[in-house]
Amino acid sequence: MAEKKEKLFDQFPGVSYEEWRAKVEADLKGADFNKKLVWRTNEGFNVEPIYRAEDIASFKTTESLPGQFPYVRGTRADNDWLHRQNIIADSAAEANAIALDVLGKGINSLGFKVADAADVAVLLKGIDLAAVEINLNCCPSKAVEVARALVACVKEQGATDSFRGSVEYNPLRRALRHGDTAVDTAAIAGQACELLDAVAEVKGIRCLDVASVILANGGAFIYQELGYALSWGSAWMTMLTEAGRKAEEVAARIKFDMCVSSNFFMEIAKFRAARMLWAQIVEQYKPACDCAAKMMVCATTSTFNQTIYDAHVNLLRSQTEAFSACVAGVDSMVVTPFDAPYKRPDAFSERIARNQQFLLKEESHMDKVVDPAGGSYYVETLTVNLAREGWKLFLETEEQCGFFAVVAEGKVQDAVNASNAKRHTDVARRKEVLLGTNQFPNINEMAADKISQTGCGCKCGCGAEKGPHALSMKRAASDFEALRLATEASAKRPKVFMLTIGNLAMRLARAQFSTNFFGCAGYEIIDNLGFDTVEEGVDAALAKGADVVVLCSSDDEYAELAPAAYRYLAGRAEFVVAGAPVCMEALQAEGITNFVHVRCNVLETLQAFNAKLLK
């Protein structure tokens, strides 16, 4: 007789949402539930602190299986993604040598920059084209020649039926990166048709690029990357079906090169929503079969949130990003090396980047589980909400004559730049945290000597003159990095002295806060155990050569201690009060103007101190 298993949860009564909400509100002790626990996303919708089965009861996203239309749960019956490495080299021969080396280290997808079609044979020498995905990125004007060269190599190896890869034809690159709004759609359509003919014999070549990764690395919000990527793909479908091409032929040649950021669950939802919406878009073009509506996606970890200072934190960012991508079921993935913001990645950083994917597959076995987020109340809700916001943007773009037209007018670039500016403000105010940059910096780290390149290092002319509608491409950390680099370049590194006095808990907390605050500018921090009088503290600060004295105490004690310390210091150093006490107006009347607290714009405050202190 089979042993009866005890169902432990049957011992506990069910709890309704109303009961849970009442308990939470009681624990909040009068604080507003929505302000404390409901998160308003940049995507325009609210995220609740809890989701239940009833929240997704009406969702259709849970009705299909992996590999079934509309592919919200994935386009395949497995989750075995391709591990891609983009090869960086000074010549085709060097790139080939590096490629052959990394193929023996677990890589099964390669990305090459191609300067000339004649280089293709050199790049691919000795590579098994039946087993390795090849992705070629070139100047749009050379895409047809490069495609023909690739097809010739594939045919020479007899890999026509088994080859997988892409020629990343992106005629909007200059318009997006440089604001060059001369977008000739008729010429693009003609070249795209030529490209389709060039790759006709090899079904596995994708040649119509949707490079929304550019937008995301320019600071776009997640819903913007989603909506614009869909519109970009739809523009290819409309342009080429109107040119007489069959819908299934066009759809089978489109590849989405998308970004994945550190917003873990939102990114999972993005890729699920993207597949679902793309399938429904392609369906409207009446392809011969549903399989034409499958989206092929290569995910690249973000460069927008990478930092120069405390650069090894980039490994944490890219690991969670890679995790999001594999959970979401992407087709291939590129992990950006952690040192990419400040130098050409070396063998060590590229090895670490490869291993980040291998950990997910070989150690965590993520390739064995298809759509592990499927059915999650939270992820399913995010998927639907993000799909709704992305679809709104898609429709808005379509109403303005489509993606190519909107790019030509500079509207896409302007919208993304506005998001970039908003995110920089959020970083400046610590609403968006970059560990090691605007929060918990390594105050003794120096970075100027390790910077050997600026910009993207891709030799694509990113540093060339840009028009008014060019994407900004400023990383989120760039302003704080400029602040710290200015400190490093100064003849004297400013010293910040923590004058800790009074209430023990408050002075320790405020000294820690102020250390992190001024550490973001790379100042030398001098912390202390505490002083009996403000005079003793000021004397100790001046003996250490302090440029800034930060009074760290409790709000109740500031009314007496702050004026006394300010008068005794008598302008011999900058005086700062840590916090925003109730008596702030009275202190300002005494002449005290510097306060640091959680509502400060950290960047602007530190820029003002730099202007006073650096020589």
Side-chain angles (χ1 to χ4, degrees):
M1 182 176 178
E3 182 182 352
K4 184 178 180 180
K5 294 184 178 180
E6 187 176 8
K7 296 182 179 180
L8 296 177
F9 284 103
D10 289 348
Q11 300 177 21
F12 300 96
V15 178
S16 69
Y17 175 80
E18 289 72 21
E19 292 173 300
W20 175 86
R21 176 75 178 253
K23 174 60 178 170
V24 171
E25 289 183 336
D27 289 345
L28 286 173
K29 297 180 175 16
D32 187 276
F33 178 91
N34 290 324
K35 288 184 178 179
K36 287 290 184 181
L37 298 180
V38 177
W39 166 38
R40 182 68 176 178
T41 70
N42 287 324
E43 280 56 50
F45 56 86
N46 291 338
V47 173
E48 298 290 334
I50 187 172
Y51 289 96
R52 298 163 58 93
E54 53 263 34
D55 293 312
I56 68 168
S58 62
F59 289 0
K60 296 186 180 298
T61 56
T62 59
E63 295 177 1
S64 62
L65 295 173
Q68 290 183 355
F69 188 92
Y71 310 112
V72 63
R73 303 200 61 198
T75 59
R76 312 182 303 279
D78 61 58
N79 193 29
D80 191 9
W81 72 93
L82 294 173
H83 299 237
R84 175 172 163 179
Q85 180 171 330
N86 291 331
I87 305 301
I88 302 172
D90 294 323
S91 69
E94 181 189 355
N96 174 255
I98 296 172
L100 292 173
D101 178 59
V102 301
L103 287 175
K105 298 175 179 176
I107 289 296
N108 52 15
S109 175
L110 295 168
F112 294 104
K113 280 194 173 292
V114 184
D116 190 85
D119 291 336
V120 173
V122 180
L123 290 168
L124 304 183
K125 184 179 180 181
I127 297 175
D128 184 356
L129 300 182
V132 181
E133 183 188 63
I134 302 296
N135 303 279
L136 304 180
N137 186 291
C138 62
C139 175
S141 63
K142 297 183 178 180
V144 174
E145 296 174 18
V146 168
R148 287 172 180 155
L150 175 60
V151 169
C153 291
V154 171
K155 291 172 67 176
E156 185 178 347
Q157 286 196 22
T160 305
D161 296 329
S162 55
F163 178 80
R164 292 177 296 177
S166 65
V167 175
E168 297 167 358
Y169 174 58
N170 177 11
L172 298 180
R173 184 184 300 155
R174 282 198 61 81
L176 293 171
R177 283 192 175 275
H178 300 284
D180 183 353
T181 55
V183 179
D184 187 340
T185 53
I188 291 171
Q191 193 169 29
C193 286
E194 237 187 308
L195 195 53
L196 293 180
D197 292 336
V199 301
E201 295 179 80
V202 184
K203 293 182 179 180
I205 297 179
R206 302 260 175 168
C207 56
L208 303 173
D209 196 22
V210 175
S212 63
V213 62
I214 297 174
L215 306 178
N217 283 332
F221 294 139
I222 292 174
Y223 85 96
Q224 288 178 312
E225 186 191 6
L226 173 61
Y228 286 137
L230 295 170
S231 185
W232 195 337
S234 178
W236 280 129
M237 291 294 298
T238 300
M239 176 184 290
L240 294 172
T241 53
E242 288 180 353
R245 302 289 174 153
K246 293 182 178 179
E248 57 270 21
E249 176 192 7
V250 180
R253 300 297 183 180
I254 296 174
K255 183 176 183 181
F256 289 78
D257 285 299
M258 302 183 75
C259 188
V260 54
S261 73
S262 296
N263 195 330
F264 182 72
F265 290 105
M266 196 78 79
E267 287 290 355
I268 295 172
K270 179 186 75 179
F271 290 111
R272 299 175 89 248
R275 286 193 299 265
M276 176 178 68
L277 296 176
W278 177 244
Q280 294 175 65
I281 288 171
V282 173
E283 185 183 33
Q284 303 308 307
Y285 291 86
K286 311 294 183 187
C289 64
D290 282 348
C291 61
K294 291 182 178 181
M295 172 185 267
M296 178 172 280
V297 182
C298 175
T300 301
T301 61
S302 175
T303 60
F304 180 76
N305 61 10
Q306 284 195 319
T307 62
I308 293 174
Y309 286 91
D310 221 345
H312 288 99
V313 179
N314 292 333
L315 293 169
L316 304 180
R317 299 180 180 110
S318 57
Q319 191 65 58
T320 64
E321 291 164 2
F323 191 15
S324 291
C326 75
V327 169
V330 301
D331 298 284
S332 60
M333 190 191 313
V334 179
V335 174
T336 306
F338 73 88
D339 54 357
Y342 58 88
K343 66 188 286 288
R344 177 166 162 169
D346 56 26
F348 173 74
S349 62
E350 288 183 335
R351 176 188 176 188
I352 294 296
R354 290 193 297 271
N355 288 347
Q356 288 180 262
Q357 292 198 57
F358 300 152
L359 282 170
L360 294 169
K361 182 176 287 188
E362 305 301 335
E363 300 291 337
S364 303
H365 306 293
M366 293 305 302
D367 59 324
K368 302 297 191 293
V369 185
V370 184
D371 190 29
S376 159
Y377 308 147
Y378 180 40
V379 175
E380 294 290 358
T381 303
L382 286 182
T383 300
V384 170
N385 287 341
L386 195 52
R388 182 181 63 249
E389 298 305 318
W391 189 251
K392 286 180 185 176
L393 182 58
F394 168 76
L395 292 177
E396 288 174 13
T397 309
E398 294 303 292
E399 289 171 0
Q400 298 176 67
C401 299
F403 188 74
F404 282 68
V406 176
V407 169
E409 294 174 11
K411 292 181 179 179
V412 170
Q413 301 92 309
D414 291 349
V416 172
N417 285 342
S419 300
N420 183 300
K422 166 67 163 56
R423 294 183 69 180
H424 273 81
T425 299
D426 288 347
V427 169
R429 292 183 173 278
R430 288 179 173 171
K431 289 178 66 177
E432 185 170 336
V433 173
L434 290 172
L435 188 65
T437 297
N438 70 344
Q439 189 68 283
F440 305 115
N442 178 351
I443 59 177
N444 294 317
E445 179 184 8
M446 301 294 169
D449 290 344
K450 73 180 183 181
I451 301 173
S452 59
Q453 75 174 23
T454 56
C456 71
C458 66
K459 299 181 180 180
C460 67
C462 297
E465 185 177 347
K466 297 185 177 183
H469 297 297
L471 289 174
S472 169
M473 305 308 293
K474 281 182 61 180
R475 287 178 297 106
S478 59
D479 294 328
F480 276 95
E481 289 165 355
L483 193 73
R484 286 195 68 168
L485 289 170
T487 301
E488 285 189 41
S490 174
K492 178 188 174 185
R493 183 185 181 194
K495 294 181 180 181
V496 180
F497 188 93
M498 301 299 157
L499 198 169
T500 51
I501 188 170
N503 182 287
L504 179 61
M506 289 306 302
R507 79 191 191 202
L508 289 177
R510 281 177 162 157
Q512 182 60 58
F513 174 84
S514 302
T515 294
N516 285 330
F517 192 103
F518 286 98
C520 292
Y523 297 166
E524 180 182 346
I525 307 297
I526 304 171
D527 203 355
N528 297 281
L529 296 177
F531 298 95
D532 294 327
T533 67
V534 291
E535 290 79 10
E536 180 187 349
V538 169
D539 288 341
L542 296 176
K544 292 285 188 178
D547 300 285
V548 180
V549 176
V550 183
L551 183 64
C552 302
S553 190
S554 66
D555 284 8
D556 292 340
E557 294 169 293
Y558 277 145
E560 178 182 345
L561 295 176
Y566 177 70
R567 287 193 292 267
Y568 187 72
L569 184 61
R572 289 174 287 176
E574 293 292 328
F575 183 70
V576 178
V577 171
V582 175
C583 62
M584 184 186 290
E585 287 188 10
L587 298 182
Q588 289 171 332
E590 292 278 349
I592 299 170
T593 57
N594 295 320
F595 298 84
V596 295
H597 46 82
V598 293
R599 294 190 296 277
C600 279
N601 184 310
V602 181
L603 179 67
E604 290 182 357
T605 302
L606 293 176
Q607 286 172 334
F609 274 103
N610 260 15
K612 297 175 185 176
L613 302 175
L614 300 190
K615 300 175 181 178

